[in-house]
Amino acid sequence: MSSSHRDPKELGTFLKTRRAGLEPGQVGLPDTGPHRKVPGLRREEVAELASISTDYYTRVEQGRMQASLPVLHAIAQALRLTDDQRAYLFGLAGRPPVQPPTRPDSAVTAHARRLLDQLTQSPALVLSDTMDVLAWNRLAAALLTDFGQIPEQDRNYVWLLFNDPALRALYDDWETGAHACVAYLRMHTAHRPDDPRLQALVTRMTPHTDFQHWWQAREVAVQSTGNKIFHHPVAGTLTLDWDTLTSTNVPDQHIVIWTAPTDSPSEQALRHLATTTAVRFDSVRHL
């Protein structure tokens, strides 16, 4: 993201949210008790921790000054930012460590399509940075939903998690999964401030209270592996591990694969699903 695409307002809101979530005692400062006028840390306290003047920090938070790299590092340290939050901050400030593409490439490579076709015992998807579902295999459709029957504008994993009752019901812990997806989506807005598809998605999600709450919290995170429990109407309960593979040639596309331990009940359930589900659709589609 170039400096011309910086979003000073979002940068300031993100910094305010992060300092509001910290108490003085968490960062080694004395707690002045219940008489504090604002929740969390004051601007002057963040400035003290970052070894910069209060005026300098205030200008950065208000979008009136672009912070240098050393100052951004100091602010990130003062606010105890995670690696993902730090990357988000640098992106908002127009200083991402790596220049990302301005728009995700929706063309799935032939290699990725062939990989999906050959994964006959594991559900797999290709997702964009903004969680558009670009491609899928037969077992992913059998486990989750037949993405080919979903209009292109709705073929986004975050949208479906909130708006598809059947997909939502699959999740044993929908709240944790949906919350993580919103944090992942928020992470990538720093790199794509002018992406009209992303802006349209966020606007369409406005009626969902949970989404709005998590979105406004500015929590950011990128997970590349994890574990999910699904309650499937055909396969029963499955406990699946998921991993994300990203090609260096197409870094804004990610193959998500669900697997189960060998000879486990969940692997047997996947085999059953693969052989008994009669879903008719093209094995791979792309936007």
Side-chain angles (χ1 to χ4, degrees), residues 10 24 69 97 157 224 242:
E10 173 60 23
L69 284 173
Y157 207 80
S224 58
W242 61 270

Side-chain angles (χ1 to χ4, degrees), residues 6-21 39 41 43 57-64 75 79 81 85 88-89 92-93 186 189 212-220:
R6 292 175 60 235
D7 186 349
K9 183 178 179 180
E10 173 60 23
L11 173 63
T13 303
F14 178 69
L15 290 174
K16 291 176 187 175
T17 303
R18 296 278 69 81
R19 67 181 172 87
L41 299 180
R43 285 175 176 165
Y57 177 78
T58 300
R59 288 172 179 268
V60 171
E61 190 177 279
Q62 293 177 343
R64 294 185 290 126
I75 291 174
L79 293 175
L81 299 187
Q85 291 169 341
Y88 185 66
L89 171 65
L92 290 175
R186 168 63 86 171
T189 59
Q212 286 300 314
H213 174 70
W214 296 330
W215 189 257
Q216 296 302 326
R218 267 78 178 177
E219 296 178 10
V220 291

Side-chain angles (χ1 to χ4, degrees), residues 137-148:
N137 66 4
R138 288 184 179 275
L139 199 50
L143 175 67
L144 301 169
T145 187
D146 185 359
F147 297 100

Side-chain angles (χ1 to χ4, degrees), residues 15 23 28 78 90 99 121 137 150 153 162 182 207 215 244 250:
L15 290 174
E23 296 299 327
F90 276 61
Q99 184 71 15
Q121 299 298 317
N137 66 4
I150 297 171
Q153 68 270 21
F162 282 84
V182 174
W215 189 257
T244 304
V250 193

Side-chain angles (χ1 to χ4, degrees), residues 58-283:
T58 300
R59 288 172 179 268
V60 171
E61 190 177 279
Q62 293 177 343
R64 294 185 290 126
M65 175 180 290
Q66 185 173 23
S68 65
L69 284 173
V71 167
L72 285 174
H73 280 293
I75 291 174
Q77 180 65 31
L79 293 175
R80 304 297 195 265
L81 299 187
T82 65
D83 290 342
D84 290 336
Q85 291 169 341
R86 184 185 296 262
Y88 185 66
L89 171 65
F90 276 61
L92 290 175
R95 300 181 183 275
V98 178
Q99 184 71 15
T102 57
R103 180 71 176 91
D105 185 0
S106 62
V108 178
T109 67
H111 292 166
R113 292 197 296 269
R114 187 161 60 245
L115 175 60
L116 293 189
D117 277 337
Q118 294 176 356
L119 287 170
T120 59
Q121 299 298 317
S122 296
L125 301 172
V126 178
L127 298 178
S128 72
D129 276 349
T130 51
M131 304 202 77
D132 287 327
V133 181
L134 305 180
W136 56 94
N137 66 4
R138 288 184 179 275
L139 199 50
L143 175 67
L144 301 169
T145 187
D146 185 359
F147 297 100
Q149 300 302 312
I150 297 171
E152 180 180 321
Q153 68 270 21
D154 295 341
R155 211 177 291 155
N156 178 279
Y157 207 80
V158 173
W159 171 262
L160 292 172
L161 269 181
F162 282 84
N163 292 280
D164 185 333
L167 181 60
R168 180 169 181 151
L170 286 176
Y171 275 66
D172 181 75
D173 185 356
W174 175 87
E175 183 173 345
T176 297
H179 194 173
C181 285
V182 174
Y184 181 95
L185 190 66
R186 168 63 86 171
M187 181 74 187
H188 288 285
T189 59
H191 303 317
R192 309 191 189 284
D194 302 317
D195 186 337
R197 185 176 175 86
L198 177 58
Q199 293 173 355
L201 172 64
V202 174
T203 299
R204 294 177 70 202
M205 295 298 294
T206 299
H208 295 280
T209 304
D210 286 334
F211 179 89
Q212 286 300 314
H213 174 70
W214 296 330
W215 189 257
Q216 296 302 326
R218 267 78 178 177
E219 296 178 10
V220 291
V222 175
Q223 291 181 277
S224 58
T225 186
N227 179 274
K228 286 285 184 294
I229 299 175
F230 297 100
H231 299 293
H232 195 274
V234 173
T237 298
L238 303 93
T239 301
L240 303 178
D241 299 315
W242 61 270
D243 293 274
T244 304
L245 309 177
T246 302
S247 169
T248 55
N249 294 325
V250 193
D252 54 4
Q253 293 182 7
H254 316 280
I255 301 177
V256 182
I257 304 172
W258 285 268
T259 61
T262 303
D263 294 329
S264 66
S266 292
E267 187 196 38
Q268 295 171 13
L270 282 179
R271 290 178 180 176
H272 173 71
L273 190 62
T275 57
T276 62
T277 303
V279 179
R280 301 181 181 276
F281 59 94
D282 293 336
S283 60

